[in-house]
């Protein structure tokens, strides 16, 4: 259910619908209602859904790695649902060995680490990236959250500002930025 919400926020309605249908099949009522109301779009409207806060449509193209990732993601999600976090982590790491720097796998892995308070792992993986300036806002958000949780408030503030420069309407980043400023005693 939560992954479906995240995917909807990122503009991936097709992925959100898939996740909601999985959650509905597991007996969750909220996702069942969302799937029945939100998932009546045709493929063209899904493919042209605006990006997460970007305001401009983008055509989504699927690579073979994206198709493989969707299959691997479902397995990882099932492991997470059964509270087998270690196996889910290993599953995502194995996929990243096959397809290094896959955006979706990196997002899921760092989100899993952040949920388990593995903030230093997230920082080590994302901050040492070959091109952190090219990271998506979603990955940057995971990194910023890890920075904030570890007390690296200046780094968190910089990362949240980077997100807001791309997505000015990203309310989660704006809220977390204000919290980081407050924690860092910056009240301008």
């Amino acid at each position: 259910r939560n992954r479906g919400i995240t995917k909807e926020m990122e503009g991936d309605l097709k992925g959100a619908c898939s996740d909601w249908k999985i959650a509905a099949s597991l007996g969750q009522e909220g996702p069942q209602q969302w799937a029945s109301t939100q998932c009546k779009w045709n493929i063209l409207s899904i493919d042209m859904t605006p990006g997460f806060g970007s305001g401009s449509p983008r055509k989504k193209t699927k690579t073979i790695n994206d198709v493989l990732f969707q299959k691997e993601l479902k397995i990882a999600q099932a492991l997470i649902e059964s509270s087998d976090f270690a196996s889910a982590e290993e599953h995502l790491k194995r996929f990243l060995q096959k397809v290094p720097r896959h955006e979706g796998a990196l997002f899921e892995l760092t989100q899993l680490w952040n949920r388990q308070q593995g903030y230093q792992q997230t920082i080590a993986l994302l901050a040492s990236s070959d091109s952190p300036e090219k990271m998506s806002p979603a990955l940057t958000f995971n990194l910023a959250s890890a920075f904030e949780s570890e007390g690296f408030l200046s780094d968190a503030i910089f990362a949240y500002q980077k997100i807001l420069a791309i997505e000015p309407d990203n309310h989660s980043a704006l809220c977390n930025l204000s919290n980081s400023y407050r924690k860092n005693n910056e009240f301008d």
Side-chain angles (χ1 to χ4, degrees):
R1 181 190 70 180
N2 291 341
R3 289 188 205 293
I5 293 168
T6 301
K7 286 181 181 177
E8 180 187 32
M9 291 173 60
E10 293 174 335
D12 181 9
L13 190 56
K14 188 174 183 179
C17 289
S18 174
D19 288 343
W20 290 334
K21 288 175 185 174
I22 291 168
S25 70
L26 296 171
Q28 296 180 6
E29 288 182 12
Q32 188 173 17
Q33 293 168 344
W34 295 331
S36 66
T37 58
Q38 295 286 349
C39 301
K40 294 180 181 178
W41 302 88
N42 63 39
I43 295 301
L44 182 60
S45 67
I46 292 170
D47 286 344
M48 296 306 290
T49 300
F52 180 55
S54 69
S56 62
R58 66 173 192 252
K59 181 105 174 126
K60 294 183 181 179
T61 56
K62 284 193 174 186
T63 65
I64 189 67
N65 289 336
D66 292 330
V67 173
L68 290 173
F69 174 66
Q70 290 304 315
K71 183 178 178 182
E72 299 297 323
L73 177 61
K74 287 181 183 179
I75 295 169
Q77 287 173 333
L79 291 167
I80 291 168
E81 289 290 325
S82 65
S83 298
D84 190 354
F85 303 117
S87 294
E89 177 180 350
E90 287 307 311
H91 193 78
L92 290 165
K93 284 180 177 178
R94 277 194 309 272
F95 180 80
L96 283 167
Q97 286 175 344
K98 296 176 197 171
V99 187
R101 309 306 301 170
H102 186 277
E103 185 88 13
L106 287 170
F107 175 79
E108 294 298 331
L109 182 60
T110 55
Q111 191 172 39
L112 176 64
W113 284 340
N114 283 357
R115 280 192 214 134
Q116 296 180 302
Q117 298 177 352
Y119 307 115
Q120 291 180 359
Q121 291 171 289
T122 296
I123 292 168
L125 180 64
L126 297 181
S128 67
S129 169
D130 296 338
S131 54
E133 68 281 351
K134 294 182 182 176
M135 251 191 303
S136 72
L139 274 179
T140 304
F141 188 89
N142 282 355
L143 179 59
S145 296
F147 279 143
E148 183 179 3
S149 297
E150 285 294 308
F152 302 118
L153 298 175
S154 295
D155 293 321
I157 289 168
F158 179 77
Y160 288 128
Q161 287 173 335
K162 179 182 167 193
I163 295 166
L164 291 167
I166 298 167
E167 300 177 346
D169 293 332
N170 187 323
H171 300 289
S172 296
L174 186 60
C175 180
N176 287 7
L177 175 63
S178 69
N179 285 333
S180 293
Y181 276 133
R182 183 185 49 78
K183 290 176 185 175
N184 209 29
N185 294 316
E186 293 184 34
F187 303 106
D188 285 342

